[in-house]
Amino acid sequence: MGHVGGTRDLKGPSGVPGGYQERASRVAGAVLWSRTVQPSARPVLPDGCTDLIWSAGRLLVAGPDTGPQSVGGVPAGTPFVGLRFAPGQGPAVFGVPARELRDRRVPLADLWPAGQVRELTERLAAAGEPGGTAGIGRLLEETAVARLREGTRDDGRTAAVAAELARGRPVAEVAGAVALSERQLHRLSLDAFGYGPKTLTRVLRLVRALDLARSGMPYAQVAARAGYADQAHLAREVKSLAGAPMGVLLAPG
């Protein structure tokens, strides 16, 4: 991961140290967030999402991660505003399969025509002066809405796959539910989510486990509620995908 890597800061609940803020977006399923990088910023954890990010006069795209991504190299105090898309939603906005963005942070100009990105960059810079993050967020949303309107219409299959896998439903059953073979489901998943259905299941289960653990729920109960075989299975999966034990991930600071 190069200089643009890690520009998506930790996505945690609103009110955690570091001033992270988020709200539901008018782009259905998406979340608008803002944050200022702190000196001890932690790695970004996999969540199955892609983000459109504005920071320091640049537009960047954060792809779906398969492991923790360091924010090293980003100066403390750097502000970010981002629009985080639901799993499977990003490709329609960015115009490329999610697998091409997996574990990457790339300039939007690498994906869209340079003139279009230059115009949007100028508008975002102007929006930030009177309206701050609110003005930038609105423009990011407007841009995404227009791209989704222009893109190929989704028959709802992608969202259905994500929802069923998030519930822990077996891959074979999910494939049957959306009238696909397992091989077809795998190809759809790579293009829509950036990785296969089994990996997406693991990532979405991790997201659910972290949300439950942040609420103060005991780890054994988290394991049962999130769909792990037991607490040991939870611990192995958290270490594998997030790179650190649950206690470290949830520690203040």
Side-chain angles (χ1 to χ4, degrees):
M1 183 170 56
H3 175 69
V4 297
T7 50
R8 175 172 50 173
D9 202 0
L10 253 183
K11 296 195 287 290
S14 181
V16 298
Y20 179 88
Q21 302 265 333
E22 68 174 39
R23 67 166 174 81
S25 168
R26 62 191 186 90
V27 179
V31 171
L32 191 66
W33 58 268
S34 63
R35 188 161 189 176
T36 300
V37 173
Q38 301 299 297
S40 58
R42 295 172 180 168
V44 178
L45 304 182
D47 60 8
C49 300
T50 53
D51 295 59
L52 176 59
I53 300 170
W54 170 257
S55 180
R58 295 197 305 162
L59 280 162
L60 298 164
V61 176
D65 297 324
T66 57
Q69 297 284 347
S70 171
V71 296
V74 180
T78 302
F80 291 88
V81 181
L83 186 58
R84 184 166 76 243
F85 299 102
Q89 196 175 35
V93 176
F94 302 124
V96 296
R99 54 183 162 78
E100 295 186 14
L101 300 172
R102 183 175 56 227
D103 293 321
R104 297 181 65 199
R105 308 293 186 264
V106 300
L108 184 63
D110 287 358
L111 307 178
W112 291 4
Q116 185 177 353
V117 175
R118 184 167 53 251
E119 179 186 357
L120 178 56
T121 298
E122 292 171 356
R123 292 178 64 199
L124 284 164
E129 292 176 5
T133 59
I136 292 168
R138 282 193 298 270
L139 188 48
L140 291 178
E141 289 177 310
E142 290 172 8
T143 302
V145 167
R147 292 284 297 192
L148 289 168
R149 188 181 299 124
E150 295 167 2
T152 304
R153 292 188 64 83
D154 180 40
D155 59 5
R157 181 176 282 175
T158 298
V161 168
E164 293 301 317
L165 292 175
R167 296 186 185 102
R169 196 171 178 187
V171 171
E173 289 185 12
V174 174
V178 295
L180 294 175
S181 69
E182 288 189 52
R183 181 173 295 182
Q184 289 172 324
L185 175 61
H186 189 80
R187 286 199 297 266
L188 179 148
S189 295
L190 289 176
D191 286 344
F193 309 116
Y195 22 64
K198 290 184 179 178
T199 299
L200 180 61
T201 297
R202 294 177 64 211
V203 168
L204 296 179
R205 186 172 56 190
L206 171 70
V207 171
R208 177 162 169 73
L210 288 171
D211 285 345
L212 292 171
R214 287 190 188 104
S215 74
M217 183 180 292
Y219 292 170
Q221 192 174 348
V222 168
R225 287 279 298 276
Y228 294 92
D230 51 31
Q231 189 173 334
H233 183 208
L234 166 67
R236 289 194 302 272
E237 282 288 277
V238 169
K239 186 69 180 294
S240 174
L241 289 170
M246 184 79 82
V248 172
L249 299 177
L250 300 182

